[in-house]
Amino acid sequence: MTRRTLNKAEPSRRAVLKGIGAGLLASTVMPGAVRAQGAPIKLGFQLHVTGIGASYGRWYQRTADAALKMINDAGGINGRPVEILYEDDGTDPKRGAEVVDKFVNKHGCDLVFGTLFSHVVIGSAPRAGELKVPYLVCSEGYHVASGMLNRWTLQPGITDARSQIVSMAPWVAANLGKKVTMIFPDFAFGHDHRDFFTAAIAAQGGEVIAQIAVPPTETSFTRYFPQIPADTEVLYHVMVGPAVLTFVKELGEFYGSGPKPAMFGFIDSLEAVDIATPGLEFLEGSHFWEGHNRMKPADAGEHEAAYRAAVGVDDNGASVSDPKDVATYSHMFSAWETLYIIKAGMEASGYQGPADRQKFVEAVEAMTEIPYGIEHPQGAKRFNGKTHQVFGTQNISQVQGGKLVRVHQTSIEDGLYDDAVDYTAQPF
Amino acid sequence: MPILCNQMAFGPFLLLALLEGTVTAAVLALTALGLSLVFGVMRVVNVAHGAFFMLGAVLAWFVASHVPGAPALGFVAALVLAPLAVAALAAVADRLVLKRIGYDPEATIVATIGLLYIFEQAALSLFGPDARPVPAPFTWRIQFPWFGYSGYKLFVVAAALVVLAAVWLMLTRSRAGLIMRATQVDRQTARAFGINVDLVYTGTFALGAALAALGAVLVVPIQQAHYLMGGDPLLLSFIVVIIGGLGSLRGTLVAALVIGLGDGIISMFFTPTLAKIIATLAVALVLVFRPQGLFGARA
């Protein structure tokens, strides 16, 4: 059992490696310095490359890259080219805050955006507030509009879970049933579903008869299903993480060919999953919320085709280069739309550099009606500057012949609720 | 939140709990077996065990998605190829890393933590971050009057029994098993009798990894292949191996049954979180009152 000691060769090898590293660094930094038309605007994208949000992260990056290309091809922002720096947050709140720090203090980013998972947002927003850097999230959580975060955190690219739920609950009560059992992930995002759907269905004369919370890292679900009461009329399910397919498959096995309640799911339970996967046949006839219809509806808007082409998604919602690579279509538009909000906000505020960060936030707060267009392909929206939250339309789709077919679309008004905060009254 | 109001009747409820518990027990026994074997013979703790499990699952996905025809064909191919590939990798890791540090217990823990990260990041880089489904070789489902149940899950139980029996026979009846046991008892004396201890160590490490991979191939149709999936099996394997007694196959089996069935029943009648709390508590109690485990020999 002899232990090797460091020999003389090793320090020199390390020196060589250092040299290679320095060379690589230089080669990536240099091109920025030689560019002609002024320094680029640098945007930090807090990306879920690894961890439970990885499937989303991959598509968020593709979507943001596509929007970036379109913006730069059209002349950038305020005549300057735009760059996005991606940094992996591991879908982890602690790492998220570190990434915000790194973007601002190391890379000198003008702002930070793109975060999806709500626990990462909640973990990162305080640091963004301390650093006084605009933080534009795509997380669907109610934590922005609830007043829990700060003046620097905005959600202009995607509606929040509360609004989604409030707008769809009347349809669920009227069409599927009034006795509802909920299955949801046991963290902030799932708790929004639990709290707001329970209240919303009660307002329709319905009732949530059981709430089943599942840890987001769970890999086996059959053991949770016996908690579903037998007199459930509607099973409301929303699940996230790498095991979503196992979740729906086991649900199908559990009910088998026996009687089962009507099912209303958030497409989150099936994001990045092919609905034609063997074992999912039982979903036929069930309903899903979709933020943005994965399978192109017959009456899709005029910009839908151009948006799909730009992000590389076919009419079934899968990658054009690999039909098995299914997009996180209901959520990823938020990366695109948030980037266009950044462009609009920077142009309205005449943004020049980090000194104008406050002016940028004020410019976004001043936004109200956001029209449908290639900049906002999911649909028209209405921004509430006081709560920092955007409102939009929602879709309910039914699985018909193995396809998701839109059967209902809510209006912006359906999803409005009373303000819980006025961020504009808070100091910067 | 205990339930049982207005849900399924007690009988079917217990049946489902027992089915789930038995499947958990089988999966636990399969994954803990390799860890127990490696510790028993080599007296080292292999923290990369969960990573070998994960590699087995990811390779199963890779093989299954490249074999045309019925899902059963791809599954059988994966059942053969994935454990072999993982065993080869483990043998290389043993020769390149563990042998160099002389199987020093502490150094081995650190080295296998390193291997764990390397394997996980390699899987992330080469296979991507998505969870990948592997179709089960058959989709037969049992339909009870109260609920349906995957027939494949019961197949996993049967397969686990076969694998456990095969390993036990190999250890007790074959010449290779005799050599492994001899090395376990006293490696110096074994060497004096002309046993190539290095080869035995490499072989045992590879066999342990292959068993993890085999377990993973069997499990992956009911879970999914994902680069981070090794964490849970590693933790549970440690729980089972500590309770059963490090190095004792019989202990591993008994502990897997206790933990698995306990997990199934407590998860169903109370909550899965409580089941995990109790399993962890059991480990603490065993470590305090019977550090060698239920069936382990006193070191």
mmCIF file with all atom_site columns, all heavy atoms in Angstrom, chain A residues 50-51 54-55 58 223 226-227 242 246 253-254 257, chain B residues 7 13 124 129-131 143 148 224 227 263 272:
data_model
loop_
_atom_site.group_PDB
_atom_site.id
_atom_site.type_symbol
_atom_site.label_atom_id
_atom_site.label_alt_id
_atom_site.label_comp_id
_atom_site.label_asym_id
_atom_site.label_entity_id
_atom_site.label_seq_id
_atom_site.pdbx_PDB_ins_code
_atom_site.Cartn_x
_atom_site.Cartn_y
_atom_site.Cartn_z
_atom_site.occupancy
_atom_site.B_iso_or_equiv
_atom_site.pdbx_formal_charge
_atom_site.auth_seq_id
_atom_site.auth_comp_id
_atom_site.auth_asym_id
_atom_site.auth_atom_id
_atom_site.pdbx_PDB_model_num
ATOM 1   N N   . THR A 1 50  ? -29.357 21.450 -15.949 1.00 0.00 ? 50  THR A N   1
ATOM 2   C CA  . THR A 1 50  ? -29.344 20.180 -15.226 1.00 0.00 ? 50  THR A CA  1
ATOM 3   C C   . THR A 1 50  ? -30.384 20.256 -14.109 1.00 0.00 ? 50  THR A C   1
ATOM 4   O O   . THR A 1 50  ? -30.997 21.293 -13.884 1.00 0.00 ? 50  THR A O   1
ATOM 5   C CB  . THR A 1 50  ? -27.953 19.909 -14.629 1.00 0.00 ? 50  THR A CB  1
ATOM 6   O OG1 . THR A 1 50  ? -27.597 21.010 -13.801 1.00 0.00 ? 50  THR A OG1 1
ATOM 7   C CG2 . THR A 1 50  ? -26.913 19.747 -15.712 1.00 0.00 ? 50  THR A CG2 1
ATOM 8   N N   . GLY A 1 51  ? -30.557 19.140 -13.393 1.00 0.00 ? 51  GLY A N   1
ATOM 9   C CA  . GLY A 1 51  ? -31.565 19.106 -12.332 1.00 0.00 ? 51  GLY A CA  1
ATOM 10  C C   . GLY A 1 51  ? -32.947 18.819 -12.902 1.00 0.00 ? 51  GLY A C   1
ATOM 11  O O   . GLY A 1 51  ? -33.097 18.513 -14.090 1.00 0.00 ? 51  GLY A O   1
ATOM 12  N N   . ALA A 1 54  ? -34.376 20.237 -16.392 1.00 0.00 ? 54  ALA A N   1
ATOM 13  C CA  . ALA A 1 54  ? -33.505 20.172 -17.568 1.00 0.00 ? 54  ALA A CA  1
ATOM 14  C C   . ALA A 1 54  ? -34.246 20.109 -18.906 1.00 0.00 ? 54  ALA A C   1
ATOM 15  O O   . ALA A 1 54  ? -33.817 20.713 -19.883 1.00 0.00 ? 54  ALA A O   1
ATOM 16  C CB  . ALA A 1 54  ? -32.553 18.992 -17.430 1.00 0.00 ? 54  ALA A CB  1
ATOM 17  N N   . SER A 1 55  ? -35.380 19.387 -18.962 1.00 0.00 ? 55  SER A N   1
ATOM 18  C CA  . SER A 1 55  ? -36.094 19.282 -20.240 1.00 0.00 ? 55  SER A CA  1
ATOM 19  C C   . SER A 1 55  ? -36.587 20.651 -20.685 1.00 0.00 ? 55  SER A C   1
ATOM 20  O O   . SER A 1 55  ? -36.587 20.975 -21.872 1.00 0.00 ? 55  SER A O   1
ATOM 21  C CB  . SER A 1 55  ? -37.302 18.363 -20.116 1.00 0.00 ? 55  SER A CB  1
ATOM 22  O OG  . SER A 1 55  ? -36.916 17.122 -19.633 1.00 0.00 ? 55  SER A OG  1
ATOM 23  N N   . ARG A 1 58  ? -33.511 23.073 -21.963 1.00 0.00 ? 58  ARG A N   1
ATOM 24  C CA  . ARG A 1 58  ? -33.043 22.858 -23.328 1.00 0.00 ? 58  ARG A CA  1
ATOM 25  C C   . ARG A 1 58  ? -33.911 23.647 -24.318 1.00 0.00 ? 58  ARG A C   1
ATOM 26  O O   . ARG A 1 58  ? -33.411 24.289 -25.230 1.00 0.00 ? 58  ARG A O   1
ATOM 27  C CB  . ARG A 1 58  ? -33.116 21.374 -23.619 1.00 0.00 ? 58  ARG A CB  1
ATOM 28  C CG  . ARG A 1 58  ? -32.406 20.920 -24.826 1.00 0.00 ? 58  ARG A CG  1
ATOM 29  C CD  . ARG A 1 58  ? -32.222 19.418 -24.731 1.00 0.00 ? 58  ARG A CD  1
ATOM 30  N NE  . ARG A 1 58  ? -33.425 18.803 -24.176 1.00 0.00 ? 58  ARG A NE  1
ATOM 31  C CZ  . ARG A 1 58  ? -34.296 18.113 -24.886 1.00 0.00 ? 58  ARG A CZ  1
ATOM 32  N NH1 . ARG A 1 58  ? -34.100 17.937 -26.153 1.00 0.00 ? 58  ARG A NH1 1
ATOM 33  N NH2 . ARG A 1 58  ? -35.365 17.586 -24.316 1.00 0.00 ? 58  ARG A NH2 1
ATOM 34  N N   . ARG A 1 223 ? -48.305 4.421  -5.062  1.00 0.00 ? 223 ARG A N   1
ATOM 35  C CA  . ARG A 1 223 ? -48.641 4.448  -3.637  1.00 0.00 ? 223 ARG A CA  1
ATOM 36  C C   . ARG A 1 223 ? -49.465 5.664  -3.244  1.00 0.00 ? 223 ARG A C   1
ATOM 37  O O   . ARG A 1 223 ? -50.071 5.674  -2.182  1.00 0.00 ? 223 ARG A O   1
ATOM 38  C CB  . ARG A 1 223 ? -47.350 4.415  -2.839  1.00 0.00 ? 223 ARG A CB  1
ATOM 39  C CG  . ARG A 1 223 ? -46.452 5.578  -3.172  1.00 0.00 ? 223 ARG A CG  1
ATOM 40  C CD  . ARG A 1 223 ? -45.088 5.413  -2.567  1.00 0.00 ? 223 ARG A CD  1
ATOM 41  N NE  . ARG A 1 223 ? -44.472 4.176  -3.012  1.00 0.00 ? 223 ARG A NE  1
ATOM 42  C CZ  . ARG A 1 223 ? -43.249 3.819  -2.652  1.00 0.00 ? 223 ARG A CZ  1
ATOM 43  N NH1 . ARG A 1 223 ? -42.559 4.566  -1.850  1.00 0.00 ? 223 ARG A NH1 1
ATOM 44  N NH2 . ARG A 1 223 ? -42.741 2.696  -3.099  1.00 0.00 ? 223 ARG A NH2 1
ATOM 45  N N   . PRO A 1 226 ? -54.159 5.402  -4.016  1.00 0.00 ? 226 PRO A N   1
ATOM 46  C CA  . PRO A 1 226 ? -55.279 4.960  -3.190  1.00 0.00 ? 226 PRO A CA  1
ATOM 47  C C   . PRO A 1 226 ? -55.875 6.083  -2.346  1.00 0.00 ? 226 PRO A C   1
ATOM 48  O O   . PRO A 1 226 ? -56.968 5.953  -1.822  1.00 0.00 ? 226 PRO A O   1
ATOM 49  C CB  . PRO A 1 226 ? -54.652 3.885  -2.294  1.00 0.00 ? 226 PRO A CB  1
ATOM 50  C CG  . PRO A 1 226 ? -53.453 3.434  -3.011  1.00 0.00 ? 226 PRO A CG  1
ATOM 51  C CD  . PRO A 1 226 ? -52.946 4.639  -3.754  1.00 0.00 ? 226 PRO A CD  1
ATOM 52  N N   . GLN A 1 227 ? -55.154 7.202  -2.221  1.00 0.00 ? 227 GLN A N   1
ATOM 53  C CA  . GLN A 1 227 ? -55.709 8.320  -1.462  1.00 0.00 ? 227 GLN A CA  1
ATOM 54  C C   . GLN A 1 227 ? -56.798 9.054  -2.233  1.00 0.00 ? 227 GLN A C   1
ATOM 55  O O   . GLN A 1 227 ? -57.453 9.942  -1.706  1.00 0.00 ? 227 GLN A O   1
ATOM 56  C CB  . GLN A 1 227 ? -54.605 9.320  -1.118  1.00 0.00 ? 227 GLN A CB  1
ATOM 57  C CG  . GLN A 1 227 ? -53.523 8.757  -0.217  1.00 0.00 ? 227 GLN A CG  1
ATOM 58  C CD  . GLN A 1 227 ? -52.438 9.795  0.071   1.00 0.00 ? 227 GLN A CD  1
ATOM 59  O OE1 . GLN A 1 227 ? -52.695 10.975 0.133   1.00 0.00 ? 227 GLN A OE1 1
ATOM 60  N NE2 . GLN A 1 227 ? -51.212 9.336  0.255   1.00 0.00 ? 227 GLN A NE2 1
ATOM 61  N N   . PRO A 1 242 ? -38.465 14.999 -13.868 1.00 0.00 ? 242 PRO A N   1
ATOM 62  C CA  . PRO A 1 242 ? -38.142 13.972 -14.868 1.00 0.00 ? 242 PRO A CA  1
ATOM 63  C C   . PRO A 1 242 ? -39.083 12.776 -14.835 1.00 0.00 ? 242 PRO A C   1
ATOM 64  O O   . PRO A 1 242 ? -39.112 11.991 -15.774 1.00 0.00 ? 242 PRO A O   1
ATOM 65  C CB  . PRO A 1 242 ? -36.704 13.562 -14.512 1.00 0.00 ? 242 PRO A CB  1
ATOM 66  C CG  . PRO A 1 242 ? -36.477 14.028 -13.128 1.00 0.00 ? 242 PRO A CG  1
ATOM 67  C CD  . PRO A 1 242 ? -37.395 15.188 -12.884 1.00 0.00 ? 242 PRO A CD  1
ATOM 68  N N   . THR A 1 246 ? -43.627 8.595  -15.890 1.00 0.00 ? 246 THR A N   1
ATOM 69  C CA  . THR A 1 246 ? -43.945 7.509  -14.960 1.00 0.00 ? 246 THR A CA  1
ATOM 70  C C   . THR A 1 246 ? -45.245 7.813  -14.231 1.00 0.00 ? 246 THR A C   1
ATOM 71  O O   . THR A 1 246 ? -46.082 6.930  -14.025 1.00 0.00 ? 246 THR A O   1
ATOM 72  C CB  . THR A 1 246 ? -42.804 7.336  -13.935 1.00 0.00 ? 246 THR A CB  1
ATOM 73  O OG1 . THR A 1 246 ? -41.565 7.307  -14.631 1.00 0.00 ? 246 THR A OG1 1
ATOM 74  C CG2 . THR A 1 246 ? -42.979 6.070  -13.134 1.00 0.00 ? 246 THR A CG2 1
ATOM 75  N N   . GLU A 1 253 ? -52.174 2.682  -15.277 1.00 0.00 ? 253 GLU A N   1
ATOM 76  C CA  . GLU A 1 253 ? -52.189 1.300  -14.781 1.00 0.00 ? 253 GLU A CA  1
ATOM 77  C C   . GLU A 1 253 ? -53.148 1.153  -13.610 1.00 0.00 ? 253 GLU A C   1
ATOM 78  O O   . GLU A 1 253 ? -53.860 0.171  -13.488 1.00 0.00 ? 253 GLU A O   1
ATOM 79  C CB  . GLU A 1 253 ? -50.780 0.899  -14.326 1.00 0.00 ? 253 GLU A CB  1
ATOM 80  C CG  . GLU A 1 253 ? -49.925 0.351  -15.436 1.00 0.00 ? 253 GLU A CG  1
ATOM 81  C CD  . GLU A 1 253 ? -48.453 0.380  -15.069 1.00 0.00 ? 253 GLU A CD  1
ATOM 82  O OE1 . GLU A 1 253 ? -48.119 0.694  -13.907 1.00 0.00 ? 253 GLU A OE1 1
ATOM 83  O OE2 . GLU A 1 253 ? -47.635 0.105  -15.961 1.00 0.00 ? 253 GLU A OE2 1
ATOM 84  N N   . PHE A 1 254 ? -53.138 2.165  -12.752 1.00 0.00 ? 254 PHE A N   1
ATOM 85  C CA  . PHE A 1 254 ? -53.952 2.102  -11.545 1.00 0.00 ? 254 PHE A CA  1
ATOM 86  C C   . PHE A 1 254 ? -55.439 2.005  -11.907 1.00 0.00 ? 254 PHE A C   1
ATOM 87  O O   . PHE A 1 254 ? -56.169 1.182  -11.362 1.00 0.00 ? 254 PHE A O   1
ATOM 88  C CB  . PHE A 1 254 ? -53.696 3.328  -10.681 1.00 0.00 ? 254 PHE A CB  1
ATOM 89  C CG  . PHE A 1 254 ? -54.499 3.365  -9.423  1.00 0.00 ? 254 PHE A CG  1
ATOM 90  C CD1 . PHE A 1 254 ? -54.169 2.544  -8.360  1.00 0.00 ? 254 PHE A CD1 1
ATOM 91  C CD2 . PHE A 1 254 ? -55.600 4.194  -9.296  1.00 0.00 ? 254 PHE A CD2 1
ATOM 92  C CE1 . PHE A 1 254 ? -54.908 2.558  -7.188  1.00 0.00 ? 254 PHE A CE1 1
ATOM 93  C CE2 . PHE A 1 254 ? -56.350 4.219  -8.134  1.00 0.00 ? 254 PHE A CE2 1
ATOM 94  C CZ  . PHE A 1 254 ? -56.006 3.397  -7.082  1.00 0.00 ? 254 PHE A CZ  1
ATOM 95  N N   . SER A 1 257 ? -58.702 -0.779 -16.859 1.00 0.00 ? 257 SER A N   1
ATOM 96  C CA  . SER A 1 257 ? -59.916 -0.724 -17.662 1.00 0.00 ? 257 SER A CA  1
ATOM 97  C C   . SER A 1 257 ? -61.130 -0.476 -16.776 1.00 0.00 ? 257 SER A C   1
ATOM 98  O O   . SER A 1 257 ? -62.255 -0.519 -17.238 1.00 0.00 ? 257 SER A O   1
ATOM 99  C CB  . SER A 1 257 ? -60.075 -2.023 -18.448 1.00 0.00 ? 257 SER A CB  1
ATOM 100 O OG  . SER A 1 257 ? -59.956 -3.125 -17.562 1.00 0.00 ? 257 SER A OG  1
ATOM 101 N N   . GLN B 2 7   ? -62.154 5.937  0.924   1.00 0.00 ? 7   GLN B N   1
ATOM 102 C CA  . GLN B 2 7   ? -61.350 5.413  -0.176  1.00 0.00 ? 7   GLN B CA  1
ATOM 103 C C   . GLN B 2 7   ? -61.649 3.931  -0.367  1.00 0.00 ? 7   GLN B C   1
ATOM 104 O O   . GLN B 2 7   ? -62.690 3.459  0.049   1.00 0.00 ? 7   GLN B O   1
ATOM 105 C CB  . GLN B 2 7   ? -59.858 5.578  0.119   1.00 0.00 ? 7   GLN B CB  1
ATOM 106 C CG  . GLN B 2 7   ? -59.329 6.929  -0.264  1.00 0.00 ? 7   GLN B CG  1
ATOM 107 C CD  . GLN B 2 7   ? -59.335 7.863  0.913   1.00 0.00 ? 7   GLN B CD  1
ATOM 108 O OE1 . GLN B 2 7   ? -59.752 7.503  1.993   1.00 0.00 ? 7   GLN B OE1 1
ATOM 109 N NE2 . GLN B 2 7   ? -58.898 9.077  0.699   1.00 0.00 ? 7   GLN B NE2 1
ATOM 110 N N   . PHE B 2 13  ? -56.916 -2.322 -0.370  1.00 0.00 ? 13  PHE B N   1
ATOM 111 C CA  . PHE B 2 13  ? -55.905 -1.338 0.009   1.00 0.00 ? 13  PHE B CA  1
ATOM 112 C C   . PHE B 2 13  ? -54.644 -2.057 0.476   1.00 0.00 ? 13  PHE B C   1
ATOM 113 O O   . PHE B 2 13  ? -53.532 -1.746 0.061   1.00 0.00 ? 13  PHE B O   1
ATOM 114 C CB  . PHE B 2 13  ? -56.489 -0.508 1.146   1.00 0.00 ? 13  PHE B CB  1
ATOM 115 C CG  . PHE B 2 13  ? -55.872 0.835  1.280   1.00 0.00 ? 13  PHE B CG  1
ATOM 116 C CD1 . PHE B 2 13  ? -56.088 1.804  0.321   1.00 0.00 ? 13  PHE B CD1 1
ATOM 117 C CD2 . PHE B 2 13  ? -55.082 1.147  2.366   1.00 0.00 ? 13  PHE B CD2 1
ATOM 118 C CE1 . PHE B 2 13  ? -55.524 3.055  0.443   1.00 0.00 ? 13  PHE B CE1 1
ATOM 119 C CE2 . PHE B 2 13  ? -54.511 2.396  2.493   1.00 0.00 ? 13  PHE B CE2 1
ATOM 120 C CZ  . PHE B 2 13  ? -54.728 3.348  1.542   1.00 0.00 ? 13  PHE B CZ  1
ATOM 121 N N   . LEU B 2 124 ? -24.673 12.790 -18.491 1.00 0.00 ? 124 LEU B N   1
ATOM 122 C CA  . LEU B 2 124 ? -25.343 14.044 -18.842 1.00 0.00 ? 124 LEU B CA  1
ATOM 123 C C   . LEU B 2 124 ? -24.843 14.557 -20.191 1.00 0.00 ? 124 LEU B C   1
ATOM 124 O O   . LEU B 2 124 ? -25.623 14.967 -21.049 1.00 0.00 ? 124 LEU B O   1
ATOM 125 C CB  . LEU B 2 124 ? -25.088 15.091 -17.754 1.00 0.00 ? 124 LEU B CB  1
ATOM 126 C CG  . LEU B 2 124 ? -25.559 16.516 -18.050 1.00 0.00 ? 124 LEU B CG  1
ATOM 127 C CD1 . LEU B 2 124 ? -27.071 16.564 -18.166 1.00 0.00 ? 124 LEU B CD1 1
ATOM 128 C CD2 . LEU B 2 124 ? -25.100 17.480 -16.975 1.00 0.00 ? 124 LEU B CD2 1
ATOM 129 N N   . PRO B 2 129 ? -30.033 15.507 -20.615 1.00 0.00 ? 129 PRO B N   1
ATOM 130 C CA  . PRO B 2 129 ? -30.662 15.649 -19.300 1.00 0.00 ? 129 PRO B CA  1
ATOM 131 C C   . PRO B 2 129 ? -32.056 15.034 -19.192 1.00 0.00 ? 129 PRO B C   1
ATOM 132 O O   . PRO B 2 129 ? -32.640 15.049 -18.120 1.00 0.00 ? 129 PRO B O   1
ATOM 133 C CB  . PRO B 2 129 ? -30.757 17.168 -19.154 1.00 0.00 ? 129 PRO B CB  1
ATOM 134 C CG  . PRO B 2 129 ? -30.908 17.662 -20.548 1.00 0.00 ? 129 PRO B CG  1
ATOM 135 C CD  . PRO B 2 129 ? -30.150 16.725 -21.423 1.00 0.00 ? 129 PRO B CD  1
ATOM 136 N N   . ASP B 2 130 ? -32.595 14.507 -20.292 1.00 0.00 ? 130 ASP B N   1
ATOM 137 C CA  . ASP B 2 130 ? -33.990 14.055 -20.243 1.00 0.00 ? 130 ASP B CA  1
ATOM 138 C C   . ASP B 2 130 ? -34.134 12.693 -19.604 1.00 0.00 ? 130 ASP B C   1
ATOM 139 O O   . ASP B 2 130 ? -33.236 11.864 -19.673 1.00 0.00 ? 130 ASP B O   1
ATOM 140 C CB  . ASP B 2 130 ? -34.557 13.967 -21.659 1.00 0.00 ? 130 ASP B CB  1
ATOM 141 C CG  . ASP B 2 130 ? -34.848 15.341 -22.199 1.00 0.00 ? 130 ASP B CG  1
ATOM 142 O OD1 . ASP B 2 130 ? -35.226 16.199 -21.401 1.00 0.00 ? 130 ASP B OD1 1
ATOM 143 O OD2 . ASP B 2 130 ? -34.671 15.541 -23.417 1.00 0.00 ? 130 ASP B OD2 1
ATOM 144 N N   . ALA B 2 131 ? -35.295 12.476 -19.009 1.00 0.00 ? 131 ALA B N   1
ATOM 145 C CA  . ALA B 2 131 ? -35.643 11.139 -18.558 1.00 0.00 ? 131 ALA B CA  1
ATOM 146 C C   . ALA B 2 131 ? -36.103 10.358 -19.792 1.00 0.00 ? 131 ALA B C   1
ATOM 147 O O   . ALA B 2 131 ? -36.919 10.846 -20.559 1.00 0.00 ? 131 ALA B O   1
ATOM 148 C CB  . ALA B 2 131 ? -36.751 11.220 -17.531 1.00 0.00 ? 131 ALA B CB  1
ATOM 149 N N   . GLN B 2 143 ? -56.028 -6.883 -13.991 1.00 0.00 ? 143 GLN B N   1
ATOM 150 C CA  . GLN B 2 143 ? -57.120 -5.998 -13.615 1.00 0.00 ? 143 GLN B CA  1
ATOM 151 C C   . GLN B 2 143 ? -57.863 -6.618 -12.441 1.00 0.00 ? 143 GLN B C   1
ATOM 152 O O   . GLN B 2 143 ? -58.646 -7.547 -12.587 1.00 0.00 ? 143 GLN B O   1
ATOM 153 C CB  . GLN B 2 143 ? -58.067 -5.785 -14.816 1.00 0.00 ? 143 GLN B CB  1
ATOM 154 C CG  . GLN B 2 143 ? -59.178 -4.786 -14.547 1.00 0.00 ? 143 GLN B CG  1
ATOM 155 C CD  . GLN B 2 143 ? -58.659 -3.366 -14.363 1.00 0.00 ? 143 GLN B CD  1
ATOM 156 O OE1 . GLN B 2 143 ? -57.804 -2.905 -15.108 1.00 0.00 ? 143 GLN B OE1 1
ATOM 157 N NE2 . GLN B 2 143 ? -59.141 -2.669 -13.331 1.00 0.00 ? 143 GLN B NE2 1
ATOM 158 N N   . GLY B 2 148 ? -56.047 -1.631 -11.241 1.00 0.00 ? 148 GLY B N   1
ATOM 159 C CA  . GLY B 2 148 ? -55.209 -2.384 -12.171 1.00 0.00 ? 148 GLY B CA  1
ATOM 160 C C   . GLY B 2 148 ? -53.789 -2.410 -11.658 1.00 0.00 ? 148 GLY B C   1
ATOM 161 O O   . GLY B 2 148 ? -53.380 -1.548 -10.880 1.00 0.00 ? 148 GLY B O   1
ATOM 162 N N   . GLN B 2 224 ? -37.672 5.494  -15.289 1.00 0.00 ? 224 GLN B N   1
ATOM 163 C CA  . GLN B 2 224 ? -37.148 5.964  -16.565 1.00 0.00 ? 224 GLN B CA  1
ATOM 164 C C   . GLN B 2 224 ? -35.660 6.160  -16.381 1.00 0.00 ? 224 GLN B C   1
ATOM 165 O O   . GLN B 2 224 ? -35.203 6.352  -15.262 1.00 0.00 ? 224 GLN B O   1
ATOM 166 C CB  . GLN B 2 224 ? -37.774 7.307  -16.943 1.00 0.00 ? 224 GLN B CB  1
ATOM 167 C CG  . GLN B 2 224 ? -39.203 7.199  -17.401 1.00 0.00 ? 224 GLN B CG  1
ATOM 168 C CD  . GLN B 2 224 ? -39.792 8.568  -17.606 1.00 0.00 ? 224 GLN B CD  1
ATOM 169 O OE1 . GLN B 2 224 ? -39.581 9.199  -18.607 1.00 0.00 ? 224 GLN B OE1 1
ATOM 170 N NE2 . GLN B 2 224 ? -40.518 9.047  -16.622 1.00 0.00 ? 224 GLN B NE2 1
ATOM 171 N N   . TYR B 2 227 ? -30.013 10.733 -15.757 1.00 0.00 ? 227 TYR B N   1
ATOM 172 C CA  . TYR B 2 227 ? -28.632 10.731 -15.276 1.00 0.00 ? 227 TYR B CA  1
ATOM 173 C C   . TYR B 2 227 ? -28.513 10.919 -13.770 1.00 0.00 ? 227 TYR B C   1
ATOM 174 O O   . TYR B 2 227 ? -27.470 10.652 -13.194 1.00 0.00 ? 227 TYR B O   1
ATOM 175 C CB  . TYR B 2 227 ? -27.800 11.771 -16.032 1.00 0.00 ? 227 TYR B CB  1
ATOM 176 C CG  . TYR B 2 227 ? -27.993 13.187 -15.574 1.00 0.00 ? 227 TYR B CG  1
ATOM 177 C CD1 . TYR B 2 227 ? -27.047 13.810 -14.774 1.00 0.00 ? 227 TYR B CD1 1
ATOM 178 C CD2 . TYR B 2 227 ? -29.118 13.907 -15.942 1.00 0.00 ? 227 TYR B CD2 1
ATOM 179 C CE1 . TYR B 2 227 ? -27.226 15.107 -14.355 1.00 0.00 ? 227 TYR B CE1 1
ATOM 180 C CE2 . TYR B 2 227 ? -29.306 15.194 -15.529 1.00 0.00 ? 227 TYR B CE2 1
ATOM 181 C CZ  . TYR B 2 227 ? -28.357 15.800 -14.731 1.00 0.00 ? 227 TYR B CZ  1
ATOM 182 O OH  . TYR B 2 227 ? -28.533 17.080 -14.306 1.00 0.00 ? 227 TYR B OH  1
ATOM 183 N N   . ASP B 2 263 ? -41.993 -0.025 3.641   1.00 0.00 ? 263 ASP B N   1
ATOM 184 C CA  . ASP B 2 263 ? -42.156 1.170  2.822   1.00 0.00 ? 263 ASP B CA  1
ATOM 185 C C   . ASP B 2 263 ? -43.513 1.157  2.116   1.00 0.00 ? 263 ASP B C   1
ATOM 186 O O   . ASP B 2 263 ? -44.249 2.136  2.128   1.00 0.00 ? 263 ASP B O   1
ATOM 187 C CB  . ASP B 2 263 ? -41.019 1.230  1.790   1.00 0.00 ? 263 ASP B CB  1
ATOM 188 C CG  . ASP B 2 263 ? -41.081 2.484  0.955   1.00 0.00 ? 263 ASP B CG  1
ATOM 189 O OD1 . ASP B 2 263 ? -40.666 3.538  1.473   1.00 0.00 ? 263 ASP B OD1 1
ATOM 190 O OD2 . ASP B 2 263 ? -41.563 2.423  -0.188  1.00 0.00 ? 263 ASP B OD2 1
ATOM 191 N N   . PRO B 2 272 ? -45.579 8.481  2.132   1.00 0.00 ? 272 PRO B N   1
ATOM 192 C CA  . PRO B 2 272 ? -44.249 8.020  1.724   1.00 0.00 ? 272 PRO B CA  1
ATOM 193 C C   . PRO B 2 272 ? -43.134 8.703  2.510   1.00 0.00 ? 272 PRO B C   1
ATOM 194 O O   . PRO B 2 272 ? -42.089 8.106  2.750   1.00 0.00 ? 272 PRO B O   1
ATOM 195 C CB  . PRO B 2 272 ? -44.192 8.397  0.246   1.00 0.00 ? 272 PRO B CB  1
ATOM 196 C CG  . PRO B 2 272 ? -45.614 8.438  -0.184  1.00 0.00 ? 272 PRO B CG  1
ATOM 197 C CD  . PRO B 2 272 ? -46.376 8.949  0.994   1.00 0.00 ? 272 PRO B CD  1
#
